[in-house]
């Protein structure tokens, strides 16, 4: 396609029509526009954005909403994208002289490739405009070429009806044909909502609210009343309907209505006057492999129909039902969406049987499941009433280099990975920097040392500024990594090492097929997973990070896995300061560091944090351990200093090394009550009024850290 014909027919010094220009970066979905053109012969111009241009057809009688009516459409020259905003008078003597007015515009989508469908002579597509909506067809009736003839007609759906384009000229765009669906709305929804537990009548208009979020867990719930849903791989969206007008909000309160016109159209057809729904916007089946396409659709790089999957109903017909149990809310939601059009669907669930639900989700290539307490209300924020279990994909890649730790003498920070590519031979697939032991890092450093070069040895798609310090090698050996799928840039999402595959070579991957997805099923609560022996007490033993995605530093977005990686890297500097010294630990499971550090009170209790209303505050502890010099491997706790992997971040040495402590078996004191097992040589606490380790303080002289008295926080 080219704009040469368009430019040749126009004198841009006389006409206000836009001149062709270099295409810019598109950031939205594909647009369409229908313009009423009062030229020598009155007609409608029908234009669709395809590959950065407007493919155009002249429709003499205009589009018809009646599926039985076929309109002739003559293909004309392509127009620039800027023409979608053009209105005004084309001067007499110029090509197409006359008045041009916009009849309708919006976005459009199609299943598959639009260019291929047009070449084959049949384009099936969906429009999301103010007047034209739903499915449409363009069918070529003659040979391809200049001024080829097509038929434009409406699909038989909810937006169809005996309406012509000229009938809509005197009608305001807001009066959409799809609004006839409101006549079909069910009047019993309000009555059913009022019968739910905790239902409240409200008068304020619906709007964005803080959504309920799920906590990531590794084990499926086995006790209690739970339902299990598919974890859709899409964008979480809240849908508010006020007076029949639909608005869409993201989980962070940003409005996305204009970017999802097709979803708006589908929800309008349901016929709700007042409602607030919670759900997910997806493309295709909402599987892991569909997420990349969803991002491309929203950015305008691809075209595909969007769909909204609703899994909760918070309000209907001015009745707030958030206090009702989930099972009741979902039952009402299912009845509301019972006759919903294509593009809106109900997210079904399975009662109990979490492991079976997870295995089914993994088998069907979904991201995982979300388990929800069926007897609980809708609570904004993250909590334990909703639990998400994710499938973990495993795949093999060739190692093609390493990225050193910044400021180090070349120690490996992460490995660079590549996958076979039919076009380039090998393609950069991302980097992995977690899950390694000391022994593995030593082995990798030896294998990579002799072959490193400064230039990439594989194809690197796009701009990757973080690779400026990379040291590349030819595809050498194979490793297997866990990941959460592929990002929009084509790189691995959250990869971590699973195993070194020294039994395979890069040639084995190049000649083989893509590796299948391997899922790790959840361990049922109440059944302990079998512990693996990995090197006994050696410093290279692999320790798994529980809840690696938990955000500990909300302001910076750092997760527990990031903290673990920091400790592993900085251990050479940390160990000399903590070795053979008592450590104070402030334990606050489930809370961020920001909350934990501000919730330390006298008496060593953590109050006001998650679960504090249940009375399960944790006591601060002073721990004695004689640390062996070994690296921290895969955990955010100072396991190398003898501290068990607690959900905490703050670990501080308080006093100088007590000479009397020789054994690795130590003691900890309950500071609030001043009793517990005594450290060697320490005097009894004496009803909580004597300083901990006073004997050691007196014997060793001035301590490096301040004395810690009973009843005083260690945090």
């Amino acid at each position: 396609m080219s704009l040469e014909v368009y430019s040749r027919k126009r004198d841009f010094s006389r006409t206000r029509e836009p001149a062709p220009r270099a295409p810019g970066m598109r950031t939205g979905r594909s647009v369409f526009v229908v313009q009423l053109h009062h030229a020598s012969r009155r007609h409608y111009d029908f234009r669709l954005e395809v590959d950065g241009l407007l493919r155009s057809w002249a429709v003499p009688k205009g589009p018809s909403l009646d599926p039985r009516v076929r309109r002739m459409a003559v293909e004309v020259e392509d127009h620039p994208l800027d023409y979608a905003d053009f209105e005004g008078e084309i001067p007499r003597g110029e090509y197409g002289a006359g008045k041009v007015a916009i009849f309708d515009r919006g976005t459009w989508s199609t299943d598959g490739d639009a260019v291929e469908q047009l070449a084959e002579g049949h384009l099936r597509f969906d429009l999301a405009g103010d007047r034209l909506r739903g499915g449409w067809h363009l069918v070529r009736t003659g040979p391809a070429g200049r001024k080829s003839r097509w038929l434009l007609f409406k699909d038989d759906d909810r937006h169809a009806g005996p309406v012509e384009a000229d009938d809509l000229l005197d009608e305001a765009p807001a009066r959409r044909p799809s609004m006839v669906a409101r006549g079909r709305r069910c009047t019993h929804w309000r009555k059913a909502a009022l019968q739910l537990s905790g239902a409240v009548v409200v008068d304020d208009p619906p709007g964005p609210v803080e959504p309920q979020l799920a906590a990531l867990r590794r084990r499926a719930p086995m006790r209690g009343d739970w339902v299990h849903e598919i974890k859709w791989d899409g964008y979480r969206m809240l849908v508010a309907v006020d007076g029949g007008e639909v608005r869409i909000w993201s989980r962070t309160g940003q409005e996305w209505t204009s970017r999802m016109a097709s979803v708006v159209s589908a929800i309008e057809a349901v016929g709700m006057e007042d409602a607030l729904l919670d759900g997910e916007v997806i493309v295709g089946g909402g599987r892991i492999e569909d997420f990349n396409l969803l991002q491309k659709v929203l950015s305008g790089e691809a075209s595909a129909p969007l769909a909204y999957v609703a899994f909760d109903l918070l309000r209907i017909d001015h009745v707030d039902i958030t206090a009702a149990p989930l099972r009741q809310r979902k039952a009402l939601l299912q009845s509301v969406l019972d006759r919903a059009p294509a593009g809106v669907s109900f997210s079904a669930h399975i009662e109990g049987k979490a492991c079976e639900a997870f295995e089914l989700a993994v088998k069907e290539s979904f991201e995982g499941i979300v388990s929800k307490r069926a007897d609980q209300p809708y609570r904004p924020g993250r909590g334990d009433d909703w639990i998400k279990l994710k499938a973990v994909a495993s795949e093999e890649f060739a190692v093609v280099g390493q990225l050193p730790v910044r400021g180090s003498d070349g120690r490996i920070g992460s490995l660079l990975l590549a996958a076979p590519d039919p076009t380039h031979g090998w393609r950069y697939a991302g980097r992995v920097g977690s899950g390694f032991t000391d022994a593995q890092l030593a082995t990798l450093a030896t294998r990579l040392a002799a072959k490193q070069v400064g230039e990439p040895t594989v194809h690197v798609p796009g701009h990757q500024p973080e690779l400026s310090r990379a040291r590349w090698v030819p595809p050498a050996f194979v490793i297997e990594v866990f990941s959460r799928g592929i990002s929009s840039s084509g790189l691995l999402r959250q990869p971590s090492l699973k195993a070194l595959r020294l039994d395979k070579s890069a040639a084995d991957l190049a000649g083989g097929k893509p590796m299948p997805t391997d899922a790790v099923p959840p361990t049922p609560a109440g059944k302990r997973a079998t512990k693996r022996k990995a090197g006994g007490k050696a410093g290279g033993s692999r320790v798994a990070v529980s809840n690696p995605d938990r955000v500990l530093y909300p302001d910076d977005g750092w997760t527990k896995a990031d903290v673990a990686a920091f400790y592993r890297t900085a251990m050479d500097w940390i160990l000399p300061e903590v070795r053979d010294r008592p450590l104070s630990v402030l334990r606050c499971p489930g809370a961020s560091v920001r909350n934990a550090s501000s919730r330390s009170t006298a008496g060593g209790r953590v109050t006001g944090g998650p679960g504090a209303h249940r009375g399960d505050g944790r006591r601060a502890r002073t721990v004695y351990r004689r640390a062996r010099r070994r690296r921290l491997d895969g955990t955010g706790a100072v396991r190398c200093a003898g501290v068990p992997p607690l959900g905490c971040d703050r670990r501080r040495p308080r006093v100088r090394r007590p000479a009397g402590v020789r054994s690795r078996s130590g003691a900890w004191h309950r500071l609030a009550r001043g009793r517990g097992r005594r450290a060697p040589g320490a005097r009894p606490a004496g009803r909580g009024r004597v300083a901990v380790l006073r004997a050691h303080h007196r014997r060793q002289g001035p301590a490096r850290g301040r004395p810690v008295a009973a009843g005083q926080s260690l945090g």
Side-chain angles (χ1 to χ4, degrees), residues 342-364:
V344 182
S345 60
F346 170 75
S347 181
H349 59 266
I350 297 176
E351 299 273 353
K353 301 180 179 179
C355 291
E356 289 83 348
F358 184 85
E359 291 174 0
L360 178 62
V362 172
K363 181 179 178 181
E364 297 297 327

Side-chain angles (χ1 to χ4, degrees), residues 251-578:
R251 56 181 284 183
T252 57
Q254 297 179 342
E255 187 167 5
W256 284 45
T257 308
S258 60
R259 303 179 64 180
M260 299 181 172
S262 59
V263 175
V264 171
S265 174
I267 294 174
E268 283 178 344
V270 176
M272 298 177 289
E273 286 286 342
D274 179 275
L276 184 60
L277 295 85
D278 193 357
E280 200 101 359
V281 171
I282 64 172
V283 162
R287 295 174 170 83
I288 296 175
E289 62 267 20
D290 297 320
F291 185 76
N292 193 21
L293 176 60
L294 172 62
Q295 292 181 313
K296 290 183 178 181
V297 169
L298 294 177
S299 65
E301 301 176 44
S303 179
L306 300 175
Y308 185 73
V309 183
F311 49 69
D312 213 331
L313 180 64
L314 313 184
R315 166 177 173 153
I316 186 70
D317 287 347
H318 297 282
V319 180
D320 187 327
I321 60 173
T322 54
L326 173 65
R327 183 177 282 107
Q328 296 181 12
R329 300 196 309 269
K330 292 206 68 175
L332 181 56
L333 174 63
Q334 187 174 11
S335 66
V336 170
L337 301 181
D338 184 43
R339 300 178 59 188
V344 182
S345 60
F346 170 75
S347 181
H349 59 266
I350 297 176
E351 299 273 353
K353 301 180 179 179
C355 291
E356 289 83 348
F358 184 85
E359 291 174 0
L360 178 62
V362 172
K363 181 179 178 181
E364 297 297 327
S365 299
F366 287 103
E367 189 179 3
I369 63 172
V370 179
S371 301
K372 303 178 180 179
R373 291 189 180 274
D375 55 353
Q376 295 299 311
Y378 190 93
R379 294 190 177 100
R382 198 177 302 278
D384 291 331
D385 288 343
W386 290 12
I387 292 175
K388 56 185 177 181
L389 303 167
K390 291 185 177 182
V392 182
S394 172
E395 195 169 0
E396 295 177 341
F397 295 89
V399 175
V400 293
Q402 62 112 342
L403 194 64
V405 176
R406 190 180 296 274
S408 72
D409 55 353
R411 290 200 312 273
I412 296 177
S414 59
L415 294 181
L416 310 181
L417 308 178
D421 184 86
T423 303
H424 304 94
W426 290 93
R427 175 183 51 82
Y428 175 69
R431 54 194 176 99
V432 56
S434 61
F436 297 93
T437 65
D438 286 349
Q440 290 171 336
L441 288 173
T443 300
L444 294 171
T446 302
R447 296 178 67 97
L448 296 175
K451 305 177 181 179
Q452 296 179 4
V453 296
E455 295 298 324
T457 56
V458 297
H459 172 67
V460 180
H463 180 55
Q464 308 289 342
E466 71 275 10
L467 299 182
S468 59
R469 299 181 296 107
R471 300 178 182 179
W472 300 87
V473 298
F477 51 93
V478 177
I479 68 172
E480 189 173 2
V481 299
F482 294 119
S483 70
R484 301 288 184 183
I486 305 297
S487 68
S488 60
S489 59
L491 304 181
L492 292 171
R493 296 168 61 187
Q494 303 177 18
S496 62
L497 178 70
K498 179 180 179 181
L500 295 179
R501 300 304 304 268
L502 301 181
D503 58 323
K504 293 189 175 183
S505 66
D508 295 330
L509 295 185
K513 298 179 180 179
M515 297 300 296
T517 297
D518 186 16
V520 177
T523 303
K527 295 183 179 180
R528 294 187 177 181
T530 303
K531 295 184 179 180
R532 298 181 180 178
K533 296 182 179 180
K537 296 182 180 180
S541 60
R542 184 177 185 273
V543 181
V545 180
S546 62
N547 304 317
D549 296 331
R550 177 182 294 167
V551 177
L552 297 181
Y553 293 86
D555 295 337
D556 300 310
W558 292 347
T559 64
K560 195 172 180 181
D562 296 329
V563 175
F566 165 76
Y567 275 113
R568 183 172 54 250
T569 303
M571 196 51 60
D572 288 339
W573 292 270
I574 295 177
L575 272 177
E577 297 299 324
V578 301

